[in-house]
Each structure stands twice: as C-alpha cells, then as structure tokens.
Amino acid sequence: MRPKSFMFVAGEASGGLLAAELVQALRLEFTEAPPVLTTDLQPLHTSLEPRFFGAGGPRMAAAGVELAFDMTAHSVIGVSDVLRNYLTFRRLFDQLCQMAIDREPDVIVCVDFSGFNRRFAHAIKEYVRGHTGWFHDWDPKIVQYVSPQVWASREGRARQMARDYDLLLSIFPFEKDWYARRVPQLRVEFVGHPIVDRYNSAEAPSAVPSSSVHSPSSPLVLLLPGSRPGELARHLPVMLAALERMGAATPNLRARMVLPD
C-alpha cells in the first residue's frame, strides 16, 4: 500500500496561492479520514501521508509541495510574451510531462493557467491512451481547478476540456449548469470562491486596518494591477497617473493596492 500522490501545476502567483490552500485542505482531509485496515496476515491500521509535488510558487513550497521549479517566475501575459518565451515554456512543459510519467501520480491538479495546463492535460491523456496493457496501468485523474472563461469566449474549448479532464472545480455557481448544457459528460463541482474563505464575515473587522476606515469626505481608491510581472509593468504606470489626476481633484483622496505577495 502506497500513499496517494498529487501533482500540482500552477503558473501564476494567484494560482500558487489557490494550490497551497487546496493542498492544506487535502492534507486535513487525509489526516481526519479513518485509518485503513490492511489485508495482511497481521493487519495494521494505517493512514499514509499524501505526497504533493509539481511546479508552482513559494506559497506551494511553504505548504509542503515538492517543487521541481518555480513556475510563477515565468508567468507572462499576451501572445507576444508567450512567443518570446516559447523555448523556455517548451522546456518546462517537457520537463513536467517527463516528471508525471516517471512518478505516476494518482491525481494531477492543473490550477488556472489554462493555456499551458490545457495542453499539458492533453499530452498526459494522449500518453496514457497510447500506453495501455498489462505493464501500463497508470491512468491519473486530471483535475482543472478554476474554469477558464470559455463561457465568455471560445466556447469550443469546453469540448477539449471534456476530452482530457476528469473533474473541473468551479468557483462560480453558474458554471456547473453552463457546462452541463454543453458537455454533460464533464464532471463539474462548484467549490465556492476562495476569497470568501480567506475573508469571511467573522474575520472582516479584524482583517481591515483601522486606517482603512473612511468617511465619504475621505474617499478611498483600491488599485488592482494584477499579479504577473508583465501586468504590473503595463498597468501600474497608467493607474498611478490616473491616481495622480484624481488626487489633484480630490486632495484628501487615499489609495490602497493589492499585490500577490
């Protein structure tokens, strides 16, 4: 009897945080699960710690995931950035595929990062379909955590997902019905939006610094520039220029900014 193994692939800081939270939840589930009675001549009650490995960011490493490399260091935005970094992504892609084949995890969890992860899931499924038989029994469950916005554009990708994913974990309640009408063979489960768990109503009063409390006479602006380096480089100058103009018109204006770390 061997411990369950989970491979995680997250390519952005936000995805790395999602993956870290999921790892912590899974570890808790395994810890609280009843022990399994073995069928040995002298049976033992055993509960094995699951193993987590893959590629992601510092949050995942802190959660106990064995990282082959920091995938979030290579996050990009836009087609031009992808093309400029094609060889790097190709190398990382091949390395992850080989890692999956060598270690044969029970479950592969693809966290957000839909373009890369969709191709990765397809490559693993194609490998498994081409290696069946007595000596090839590896058939991992492949999970996509966070639905790509196929309901907004490129609806046809839902069929690709149904072909290669065993489970889609959704963070918006309407998505389950949306997929059921188009690809009913794809299992979709709504798991709630993680930000609700991070900042629930019980924690909200203590989570907000007193300096953030403001009155209508002291307006507060929240800046959300993104998490990827490319997003920050593009968005922040525009946001700060706009904030400067707003501040000139409203002298008592204050601003706060949310960053990935």
Side-chain angles (χ1 to χ4, degrees):
M1 184 177 182
R2 68 183 184 90
K4 293 290 184 183
S5 60
F6 295 80
M7 181 178 183
F8 279 78
V9 180
E12 299 161 331
S14 55
L17 177 56
L18 287 174
E21 292 170 337
L22 182 54
V23 165
Q24 292 166 348
L26 286 170
R27 184 174 282 116
L28 182 62
E29 286 287 330
F30 275 87
T31 300
E32 295 181 347
V36 178
L37 183 64
T38 67
T39 56
D40 299 335
L41 292 178
Q42 293 182 325
L44 300 173
H45 284 81
T46 169
S47 180
L48 300 177
E49 177 79 9
R51 295 174 180 172
F52 303 98
F53 67 93
R59 297 290 186 95
M60 292 170 63
V65 181
E66 176 192 343
L67 296 184
F69 47 80
D70 184 354
M71 191 77 171
T72 64
H74 304 282
S75 61
V76 295
I77 183 170
V79 176
S80 59
D81 283 354
V82 171
L83 293 176
R84 280 195 297 270
N85 293 275
Y86 174 79
L87 293 179
T88 297
F89 280 112
R90 183 74 248 183
R91 175 177 54 81
L92 299 178
F93 184 92
D94 292 342
Q95 188 175 342
L96 286 174
C97 286
Q98 192 60 52
M99 178 190 298
I101 293 168
D102 291 342
R103 300 188 61 165
E104 297 188 346
D106 298 292
V107 182
I108 297 175
V109 183
C110 301
V111 186
D112 216 346
F113 208 45
S114 61
F116 184 96
N117 276 330
R118 189 177 64 255
R119 292 171 177 82
F120 177 67
H122 181 66
I124 295 300
K125 283 295 186 182
E126 285 293 286
Y127 175 87
V128 170
R129 291 167 186 142
H131 294 77
T132 58
W134 285 101
F135 302 103
H136 300 281
D137 60 351
W138 178 53
D139 187 11
K141 299 297 183 184
I142 301 185
V143 179
Q144 172 68 27
Y145 183 22
V146 180
S147 167
Q149 295 177 350
V150 291
W151 33 262
S153 64
R154 300 178 183 178
E155 183 177 313
R157 290 185 175 179
R159 291 189 292 273
Q160 300 174 22
M161 295 167 63
R163 175 192 62 197
D164 296 322
Y165 289 121
D166 297 288
L167 172 64
L168 172 63
L169 300 179
S170 159
I171 65 173
F172 294 115
F174 74 87
E175 290 175 329
K176 185 169 184 174
D177 290 339
W178 187 93
Y179 280 100
R181 291 193 299 269
R182 292 161 178 82
V183 282
Q185 70 274 29
L186 175 60
R187 181 184 173 190
V188 179
E189 296 294 342
F190 170 62
V191 296
H193 201 294
I195 201 168
V196 176
D197 295 324
R198 291 177 201 156
Y199 308 108
N200 60 47
S201 57
E203 296 175 350
S206 60
V208 180
S210 58
S211 60
S212 295
V213 179
H214 61 284
S215 64
S217 61
S218 178
L220 177 67
V221 175
L222 176 64
L223 303 181
L224 301 170
S227 63
R228 288 173 276 190
E231 289 176 321
L232 296 174
R234 290 172 171 83
H235 298 168
L236 266 181
V238 179
M239 286 184 166
L240 294 177
L243 182 64
E244 185 176 359
R245 295 182 64 179
M246 293 165 66
T250 311
N252 57 346
L253 181 72
R254 295 177 300 113
R256 294 181 67 84
M257 181 163 57
V258 175
L259 293 174
D261 188 346

